[in-house]
Amino acid sequence: MTTINNKTEVFMDKQRILIVDDDENIAELISLYLVKECFSTEIAYTGREALMLEKTYNPHLILLDLMLPDIDGYEVCTEIRKTKQTPIIMLSAKGEVFDKVLGLKIGADDYMIKPFDSNELVARVKAVLRRTFIAPEKANPVIETDHQGDYVEYEDLLINITNYTVIFEGHQIEMPPKELELLYFLAKKPNQVFTRDQLLDRLWGYEYIGDSRTVDVHIKRLREKLNDSHNWSISTVWGKGYKFEVR
């Protein structure tokens, strides 16, 4: 049995942004741009300082430079992902596809190449936050509350886009916002095939500058977390793209 429920829009409230960059001038400039847009900001100049501030400041989004003087941004991202799904936008002078894919594989939600335009940075931050609604954490989440807001439900699988939860075989599955959004988008339109470019445009936005393999990375991570049911699966349509197949 399949249930699709659409009731509400997710709106962005004022958010806290943690800026991690060892270049004081760049960090202060980024902070200035974001404060003008009514965000609250804190700055960390090292990886270790970032990990401490992440716990005390509890940011809604992290702007994370990769080249830090103690531990690099990849290690910081990996450490944060052990306990939190806070959206992370990586900032780096490295523009190779390998670096972008590696950042996405370990849990980043977006990747920007330095030098970048300030307006684009603000737009990326707003875009990620618009797509992300993080419900208050609960020590013992009650699964029944996930049948509120906008959700898609299949046998052994419930995807709630309002409070960003996924229940699979009775257990809550932790996943970054972008993975959840991709899963919800496909599941909401069962058996419809989407190309990689279509998924990039719909979920990452037309302003996203990246490789189509970004989609492949996210699909791979979804498959690692969700075993196919005999009633549904995330299927590859060779030469085309992907679909949420319902049998």
Side-chain angles (χ1 to χ4, degrees), residues 19 22 50 57 72 89 99 116 124 126 148 164 183 192 194:
I19 303 164
D22 64 328
Y57 185 54
D72 65 29
I89 299 177
D99 297 302
F116 45 75
R124 295 275 189 108
K126 288 182 176 180
Q148 298 178 7
Y164 272 70
L183 177 62
Q192 185 172 341
F194 293 94

Side-chain angles (χ1 to χ4, degrees), residues 82-99:
K82 290 180 180 178
T83 57
K84 297 282 187 67
Q85 298 301 323
T86 307
I88 295 174
I89 299 177
M90 286 187 169
L91 310 176
S92 176
K94 297 181 178 181
E96 290 79 8
V97 171
F98 171 81
D99 297 302

Side-chain angles (χ1 to χ4, degrees), residues 71-239:
I71 56 178
D72 65 29
Y74 292 120
E75 188 174 345
V76 173
C77 181
T78 300
E79 190 64 28
I80 290 173
R81 282 290 175 261
K82 290 180 180 178
T83 57
K84 297 282 187 67
Q85 298 301 323
T86 307
I88 295 174
I89 299 177
M90 286 187 169
L91 310 176
S92 176
K94 297 181 178 181
E96 290 79 8
V97 171
F98 171 81
D99 297 302
K100 296 179 186 177
V101 172
L102 178 58
L104 293 168
K105 278 185 176 179
I106 63 174
D109 296 274
D110 203 349
Y111 191 107
M112 290 193 69
I113 301 170
K114 292 181 176 181
F116 45 75
D117 181 80
S118 60
N119 292 323
E120 181 185 0
L121 175 64
V122 171
R124 295 275 189 108
V125 168
K126 288 182 176 180
V128 171
L129 290 174
R130 274 198 306 269
R131 298 190 299 257
T132 306
F133 178 83
I134 303 177
E137 296 181 5
K138 302 175 183 179
N140 297 295
V142 179
I143 293 178
E144 286 74 10
T145 62
D146 293 317
H147 287 84
Q148 298 178 7
D150 297 350
Y151 62 86
V152 180
E153 184 175 17
Y154 294 90
E155 180 179 343
D156 294 329
L157 178 66
L158 186 145
I159 311 149
N160 191 312
I161 198 67
T162 299
N163 59 22
Y164 272 70
T165 56
V166 174
I167 306 298
F168 177 58
E169 295 181 341
H171 300 283
Q172 185 165 327
I173 306 298
E174 296 295 332
M175 59 179 63
K178 192 54 61 188
E179 285 181 31
L180 191 149
E181 290 162 12
L182 176 59
L183 177 62
Y184 177 80
F185 181 81
L186 291 172
K188 187 179 176 182
K189 301 181 180 181
N191 297 322
Q192 185 172 341
V193 179
F194 293 94
T195 67
R196 292 169 178 82
D197 287 339
Q198 286 175 324
L199 292 171
L200 281 174
D201 182 58
R202 301 286 184 87
L203 297 170
W204 278 261
Y206 69 89
E207 77 277 5
Y208 178 75
I209 303 173
D211 192 272
S212 62
R213 280 181 286 182
T214 297
V215 175
D216 299 336
V217 170
H218 283 72
I219 290 291
K220 180 177 181 291
R221 282 163 26 185
L222 284 174
R223 286 171 171 165
E224 290 172 350
K225 295 174 181 178
L226 304 173
N227 298 320
D228 291 345
S229 163
H230 65 277
N231 286 326
W232 57 264
S233 65
I234 302 171
S235 301
T236 300
V237 181
W238 298 108

